[in-house]
Amino acid sequence: MLILRRWQNDPELEACFVPNNPRLPKGLKIMETIRYVRTAVRLPIYLTLVWQAAAKVDVVHIFSAAYSSFVLNCIPVWMISRLRRKRFVLHYHTAREWKKFAASNLVRFILKRVDKIVVPSTYLAGKFKQIGFDASVIPNI
């Protein structure tokens, strides 16, 4: 969010943030307490917000923290970026579930088609290198 605050008054840049866990409308608040159901209810809301935000930007930058996050969030957002003809930056943050991630043909299909892979450590950059992909390191601050 710091980066958004820094850019908010830049006339040459439009940056927006779309949380992958948007607030549910009042009538659906009860869904917050039901595991899996809340994800199923939130996902279409999230993707609608991403679709709207992607109309305003040139680059879609998504954060992923594990294989399940990649499948649930990154793949649909990547598809939106393709439909909207936007560049796509994957910001991947963990080696959790790495074997599953690295072995997935679907993951490899997507990784071949992203514009940039960003990771917070040389360790993760090395993991991506092992499976044939270059990743830029931008350390956490």
Side-chain angles (χ1 to χ4, degrees):
M1 297 304 287
L2 176 62
I3 199 166
L4 288 178
R5 285 196 301 268
R6 299 277 183 185
W7 278 340
Q8 74 185 18
N9 295 317
D10 189 330
E12 295 182 31
L13 181 76
E14 170 99 23
C16 55
F17 173 75
V18 178
N20 66 357
N21 60 342
R23 287 196 172 132
L24 296 178
K26 236 179 188 170
L28 298 176
K29 288 285 186 195
I30 188 69
M31 302 298 179
E32 293 279 357
T33 62
I34 308 169
R35 200 172 177 194
Y36 304 114
V37 171
R38 69 177 164 244
T39 301
V41 172
R42 276 189 177 138
L43 190 59
I45 296 168
Y46 168 63
L47 295 177
T48 300
L49 294 171
V50 170
W51 177 261
Q52 293 167 348
K56 303 174 194 171
V57 299
D58 296 321
V59 178
V60 174
H61 176 204
I62 189 162
F63 174 89
S64 182
Y67 176 77
S68 56
S69 168
F70 186 86
V71 171
L72 277 175
N73 295 314
C74 290
I75 292 174
V77 172
W78 172 80
M79 292 169 74
I80 288 170
S81 75
R82 297 289 287 216
L83 289 168
R84 289 282 197 186
R85 296 191 169 130
K86 307 297 179 168
R87 294 177 62 90
F88 186 86
V89 175
L90 169 63
H91 200 152
Y92 201 80
H93 261 252
T94 188
R96 193 174 63 215
E97 300 179 4
W98 184 260
K99 286 182 182 179
K100 192 177 197 178
F101 180 84
S104 169
N105 288 330
L106 181 58
V107 167
R108 288 176 180 277
F109 177 85
I110 302 296
L111 292 179
K112 287 179 185 173
R113 290 159 179 82
V114 303
D115 294 290
K116 193 73 162 172
I117 300 169
V118 176
V119 295
S121 67
T122 55
Y123 172 77
L124 270 178
K127 298 292 270 180
F128 274 93
K129 190 63 142 177
Q130 288 173 359
I131 63 169
F133 296 95
D134 289 327
S136 298
V137 177
I138 301 177
N140 292 330
I141 56 170

